Amino acid sequence: MITRRTALSLPLALAAAPAAAQTMLAAPAAAPAPAPIALVMNSGGASVSVIDMTSRQVINTLPTYREPSHWALTPDKREILISDASGNALFAFNPHTAKPLGHVRIADPYQLGYTPDHRYLAVNALRLDHVDFYDATTLKLVKRFNPGKKPSHLDFSPNSRWSFHSLQGSNALASFDLTSLKMRWRVPIGNTPAGVLWHRGRLLVCIMGGNGIVEVDPRNGRILRGQATGRGAHNIFYDEAGQRLYVSNRLGGTLSALDPVTLQVQRNYRIPGGPDDIGIDPAGRIWIARRFAEEVAVMDPATGDYDTIPVGRSPHGIFLSTCLRQTGEITAERL
Amino acid sequence: MGLDRCFSIIAGAIDQHLILPVLYRFGWMEWGDLSFNWALVCVYGLFAVILTYAVCWPLEAWRPVEHWPSRKAVLVDIFYTLLNRVGVIPVVTFLLFYQVQTDFTGQLVDMGFIPPTLETLIPGLFGHPLITFGLYALILDFADYWRHRLSHSFRAWYALHALHHAQRQMSFWSDDRNHILDDFISFLWFFAVGLAIGIPPLQFPLLILGLRFMESLSHANIRLSFGPFERLLVSPRFHRLHHAKRAAGRHSCNYGAVFPFWDMIFRTADFSAVWLPTGDAKAPEALATGSYLAQQLTGAKMFAAALARRRHT
C-alpha cells in the first residue's frame, strides 16, 4: 500500500515507487500507445474488470476491498482514482494500462471529483452522510459537512465557485461555496435525487424516485422545469461533442437521449438490466453498465442494437481510456 | 453460465421486477442501491434450503439415527428455517446491521478513526480474496464457538438458548430454531467482531452457502461421521453429542459450528462414537413441541425468570 501522500501525486509517487513511475513516464515516448481499455467497477464483486476495447474481452480483473463504484481522474490525468465506499479506500490505477498504483484510506468514498481549479477533491460519503473536501495534493481532510442523508452524486460550476450534491436520503440538493467552504443552500428537489450535471449555466438533476430530470438554477436551487425520461432516472452524461445528453433510467430499463438545448427526449433506447453509468467511445458507441445483468452493453446509438460483455457482480461506474485523448477537463466522471 | 452468475441474474430480475417497483411506488428509492443485496441474500437462502433438503432428506431416509412415528414437531423447525434464510429476517437483519454499523462507523470516522478490515490489519491479504475469506471464516467460527459456549455458561442466556436444544426430533431443519432474543445477542456479538476486523467480503456467496450447509448437515438425523476428516469439519455425529440430553444446559461439549478445532484446543471436544437421543429434559414441553409463538413466549418467560432470580440472589 502506498501512503496517503504518495498515492495521488505523481511527483511524490516517483519517489515512493520509482519503477512503476518510470514505466508510466517512459511509456508515451518509448512505446506505442497502449490499446484502449475500459475499466468497470463491480460494486458487488469487489473488483474492477479491465476490458480490451478492441476485442471486447475482459483481459484482467483487479481486486479492491469491498465496493468499487465511481471514478475520477487526477488533474494531470496520470491516475484514475476508484472509490471503494464500504472498503473505506481510494484505489489508484494507471488509466492507460490499469496497472495498480496503490490505495489510500478514505472514509466511505462514493462519488468523487476534483474541483475544476484542482484545489479540492470532493467526496460524497453516501453511507455516512458526509460531504468531504480534501486537499487535492495531500488528501488531508479540509472540511466535512453533514448536509443531509445519503449524499450521492456531485458536480461543480466550471469556475470552481460552487459545488452541488444530491442528497438521496433527504430528497434534497445542497450547494457549497468553494471559496468560503460554507453551505450556500439546501433545497427540496424531488424523491431520491441522484445524478447531477452542470449544463450550460444550469444544473440537471436526476430524480430516481420519479421519472425524469429537473433543471435547477444554480444560484438559488430553484427548479426551472422538469423533463420526463423514464422511471428511476439515475445518472446523466453528455457526449464528447456536447450534442446529446444521456439519462440512464434504472427502473425503466432505458437510456434516454436528450437534446442539449430543449432537453426534449429524442430517443429512448431499451437497455434492460438496470442501466447505470455510461461511457462513449470515439466511434460514438455507448458503453453502459447494466447493474442487474452483470454485463456491459456496447450500443450503437444509430440502431439501438447492442452487444454485451460479461463482467463482475453489479457493474456500476465505467471508464473508457479513450477519453484521455480529449483535450478538455475530465477530472470528474464526465465524458 | 456459472451458478454464482445465475443466482445474481435471478436476484437482479427479482430486484428489478419486484423490489424496486415497490420501493419506487412508496418513495423508498434511496434503498435502491442496496435492494439487490437483499434479493441476493434471499435467492442464496432459498437455494441453501433446496440444496440442504435435496442432500439431507435422502440421507435421513437412508440412515436415520431415530425413527419418528410423527414428524409434526419438525414442522415448526421448517418455519424457522424459511423465516431465517428466505424470509424477512435476513432483510431485517441486513437493514438493522446496516443502520447500526453506519451510525457507529460514522461516530468513529468523525473522531478521525476509520475502522479496520482484516485486509488493512494484514496488508499481505489484499489481492488474495480466497485466503482472506478463509481467514474470515476461521475467525468468525472461533467467535461463534465462544458465543455458543458462553450461551451455555450463563443461566439467563441459556434460558433463551434452551429453545434450540429442546427439540427431541433434531433434523437438518433444526439449525435455525432459535429464540429471537438469542438471535439478537448473536447479532450484537458479530457486530462487535465486525467492528474489530471488518465485514467479510461477499464475493464468495457460494462458499458462505457451503458453510451454512455444513451447519444444517450437522443437525441432521443421520448416522454419519466424517471418518478421517472428523477432526477437520463438524459432522452430524460430533454435533449430535452437543445436542444430547446429557449435554443440555451449562456443562456441554462440542460447541463448534463448522470447525471442531476450537473444541479440541479448549478441551471441550468429545469424539465418542455414540448416537444419543437429543433434547433438554428440563425444558418445558412448549419449547419442544409448541408452536412458534408458544416457543418464543416460553423462552422469553424463562429468560425473564432467570434474570429475576439473578437479581434476587
Side-chain angles (χ1 to χ4, degrees), chain B residues 76-157:
Chain B
V76 71
D77 289 4
I78 297 174
F79 180 72
Y80 275 105
T81 301
L82 295 176
L83 199 63
N84 272 279
R85 301 211 179 182
V86 194
V88 292
I89 285 184
V91 174
V92 170
T93 305
F94 187 99
L95 282 174
L96 192 63
F97 187 83
Y98 178 87
Q99 202 54 54
V100 173
Q101 198 255 358
T102 297
D103 291 346
F104 199 85
T105 306
Q107 299 286 331
L108 292 176
V109 166
D110 282 345
M111 291 188 281
F113 176 74
I114 300 175
T117 62
L118 212 49
E119 301 99 306
T120 57
L121 293 170
I122 311 171
L125 286 175
F126 178 68
H128 303 285
L130 265 175
I131 297 172
T132 305
F133 179 87
L135 201 53
Y136 265 110
L138 271 177
I139 293 172
L140 292 175
D141 197 58
F142 173 73
D144 194 53
Y145 168 86
W146 280 105
R147 178 201 62 78
H148 191 185
R149 188 166 169 180
L150 289 173
S151 76
H152 280 260
S153 303
F154 295 96
R155 192 184 302 276
W157 196 347

Side-chain angles (χ1 to χ4, degrees), chain B residues 188-200:
Chain B
L188 293 178
W189 184 267
F190 286 106
F191 173 73
V193 176
L195 281 178
I197 62 166
I199 305 162

Side-chain angles (χ1 to χ4, degrees), chain A residues 170-238:
Chain A
S170 297
N171 300 331
L173 184 72
S175 177
F176 298 94
D177 185 309
L178 295 175
T179 307
S180 62
L181 283 185
K182 287 183 178 168
M183 188 190 282
R184 297 173 58 226
W185 45 255
R186 189 189 115 148
V187 294
I189 200 74
N191 192 299
T192 320
V196 182
L197 180 70
W198 178 277
H199 177 67
R200 302 186 180 207
R202 299 279 192 270
L203 285 172
L204 300 178
V205 182
C206 295
I207 306 299
M208 195 159 62
N211 66 345
I213 62 170
V214 291
E215 187 182 40
V216 176
D217 186 336
R219 292 171 301 179
N220 50 25
R222 192 165 64 88
I223 295 175
L224 301 172
R225 58 174 162 160
Q227 172 63 52
T229 58
R231 292 198 306 161
H234 178 68
N235 212 348
I236 183 165
F237 306 83
Y238 50 80

Side-chain angles (χ1 to χ4, degrees), chain B residues 44-62 68 71 74-75 77-79 81-82 85-86 171-176 209 212-218 220-222:
Chain B
Y44 273 94
L46 181 62
F47 181 74
V49 172
I50 293 170
L51 175 75
T52 305
Y53 185 81
V55 174
C56 293
W57 182 79
L59 286 172
E60 283 195 349
W62 177 47
W68 305 314
R71 294 175 67 92
V74 176
L75 288 178
D77 289 4
I78 297 174
F79 180 72
T81 301
L82 295 176
R85 301 211 179 182
V86 194
S171 70
F172 62 89
W173 294 108
S174 302
D175 185 31
D176 289 299
L209 191 150
R212 293 304 309 269
F213 170 76
M214 290 304 300
E215 292 177 32
S216 293
L217 178 69
S218 70
N221 177 31
I222 308 171

Side-chain angles (χ1 to χ4, degrees), chain A residues 45-46 63-66 88 91 103 105-107 110 127-128 130 144 150 168-169 191-192 208-211 231-232 250-251 253 273-274 291-295 310-311 313-314, chain B residues 4-5 8-9 12 15-16 20-21 24 27-33 36 40 44 98 101-102 105-106 109-110 114-117 119-120 126-127 136 199-203 205:
Chain A
T64 64
Y65 279 144
R66 295 288 184 276
N88 293 311
F91 284 81
H103 54 273
R105 297 272 282 158
I106 289 275
Y110 184 66
R127 196 167 39 103
L128 301 182
H130 294 163
R144 169 165 291 157
K150 294 192 171 72
Q168 200 169 298
N191 192 299
T192 320
M208 195 159 62
N211 66 345
R231 292 198 306 161
R250 182 181 287 178
L251 190 55
R291 292 290 290 271
F292 312 131
E294 299 198 359
E295 289 174 344
V311 289
R313 184 177 300 132
S314 204
Chain B
D4 201 10
R5 187 174 180 80
S8 290
I9 288 170
D15 190 27
Q16 192 174 17
L20 281 176
Y24 184 82
W28 298 332
M29 280 297 281
E30 64 169 297
W31 297 102
D33 277 337
F36 173 72
L40 204 58
Y44 273 94
Y98 178 87
Q101 198 255 358
T102 297
T105 306
V109 166
D110 282 345
I114 300 175
T117 62
E119 301 99 306
T120 57
F126 178 68
Y136 265 110
I199 305 162
L202 297 176
Q203 68 261 50

